[in-house]
Amino acid sequence: MGRRKKKLTIADIKRNNNTTVPSVISRMKAKELELTVLCVILIISVIITSSYIIFSSVRKENKYTVLKTGSMEVVFNETDTGIGDIVNIVDERPIIDEYSKKLEPYVFTITNTSNKSKTYTVEIQNDDEMIKIDKCEKKLYDVSDLKYSIDNKNIKKIDDTRIVFKEKLKAKEEKTHKLRVWVSSTVTDNKEVTNKHFHGKIIITSEDDKKEEIIP
């Protein structure tokens, strides 16, 4: 991509009567090398910038999972490890409640799109599809082995109802919640425990919905 080489003429030599021919040629080559390096740097910069823009666009598009359930709209923030409404606990050791605040939360925003107040529930149900894919039916944590907190409050064990939160939203109101789920410290920490799994889905159900699993 360098510019076309300039031929050395008698006129050039006369204009540089105090400079030897090798000196003139050296300066010309140095100039051409400088221009070539600048062009290469420019091309590399364009490639890097373009790649960053493309990557950023893809990440932005995949940042949220938006679900609708009856009169509720639910937006799950994507995480670095997967889809925002999927709860995966694989080979994780039991931890004390105080440490749970350091865990990455599942963040979701619920909006009441109707013109009247609505009550909704947040549940953690088994992700049967993922359990089947992972072939871990025989090494699942019992739901009673797990604890959770909503917005760093009310640390509890997950019970058989699987309901972890219930609240009413006014018309057009929205709220954002942070849910953390972990293995209770009351579970024995041994080799068998660290090989256990839990695959679940966060399911939001409004009072006017049928009881069904929400699929993105």
Side-chain angles (χ1 to χ4, degrees):
M1 292 187 61
R3 66 180 184 179
R4 189 174 178 181
K5 292 183 177 180
K6 180 179 177 183
K7 291 183 179 181
L8 189 64
T9 65
I10 299 299
D12 292 328
I13 297 174
K14 289 181 177 180
R15 281 197 299 270
N16 296 278
N17 53 6
N18 293 324
T19 307
T20 63
V21 171
S23 170
V24 174
I25 294 175
S26 296
R27 287 202 302 272
M28 292 171 64
K29 287 184 176 180
K31 189 65 175 179
E32 289 179 352
L33 179 60
E34 181 182 347
L35 290 174
T36 300
V37 171
L38 288 175
C39 288
V40 171
I41 293 174
L42 179 61
I43 291 171
I44 293 174
S45 299
V46 170
I47 292 173
I48 293 174
T49 302
S50 300
S51 300
Y52 176 79
I53 292 172
I54 293 171
F55 177 76
S56 298
S57 299
V58 171
R59 290 294 298 168
K60 187 175 182 180
E61 289 175 1
N62 294 326
K63 188 176 180 181
Y64 304 110
T65 298
V66 181
L67 308 176
K68 288 191 176 181
T69 165
S71 55
M72 298 288 178
E73 180 179 87
V74 186
V75 179
F76 289 95
N77 284 37
E78 298 281 326
T79 67
D80 292 336
T81 55
I83 300 173
D85 63 329
I86 301 299
V87 178
N88 279 321
I89 296 177
V90 179
D91 300 337
E92 292 188 16
R93 294 180 178 276
I95 63 172
I96 60 175
D97 295 345
E98 288 77 7
Y99 185 79
S100 66
K101 294 180 180 180
K102 298 180 180 180
L103 298 175
E104 182 179 15
Y106 301 92
V107 182
F108 52 94
T109 301
I110 303 174
T111 304
N112 179 4
T113 59
S114 72
N115 294 317
K116 59 180 181 179
S117 296
K118 294 283 184 179
T119 298
Y120 66 91
T121 59
V122 179
E123 303 174 30
I124 300 178
Q125 296 290 346
N126 283 359
D127 186 349
D128 294 329
E129 183 179 355
M130 188 61 207
I131 292 171
K132 184 176 180 181
I133 293 172
D134 205 18
K135 298 179 180 179
C136 58
E137 295 90 344
K138 295 183 179 180
K139 55 180 181 180
L140 292 175
Y141 277 112
D142 187 88
V143 69
S144 62
D145 294 332
L146 307 179
K147 280 190 171 183
Y148 71 92
S149 70
I150 293 278
D151 305 325
N152 291 323
K153 302 179 208 176
N154 303 323
I155 294 177
K156 296 180 180 179
K157 282 191 173 184
I158 302 176
D159 60 28
D160 292 336
T161 68
R162 304 298 185 99
I163 296 175
V164 299
F165 193 68
K166 188 173 183 179
E167 189 178 49
K168 179 177 285 188
L169 283 181
K170 297 177 182 178
K172 308 303 180 184
E173 185 182 11
E174 74 171 34
K175 284 193 177 180
T176 297
H177 297 292
K178 294 181 179 180
L179 171 65
R180 291 178 170 87
V181 183
W182 64 94
V183 182
S184 172
S185 59
T186 58
V187 177
T188 303
D189 186 0
N190 55 35
K191 185 176 180 180
E192 182 181 353
V193 168
T194 56
N195 287 329
K196 285 192 173 183
H197 295 186
F198 177 79
H199 300 290
K201 282 190 176 182
I202 301 170
I203 297 177
I204 314 299
T205 308
S206 67
E207 62 183 13
D208 55 353
D209 292 338
K210 293 180 179 179
K211 188 70 174 179
E212 60 182 5
E213 182 177 358
I214 305 170
I215 301 176

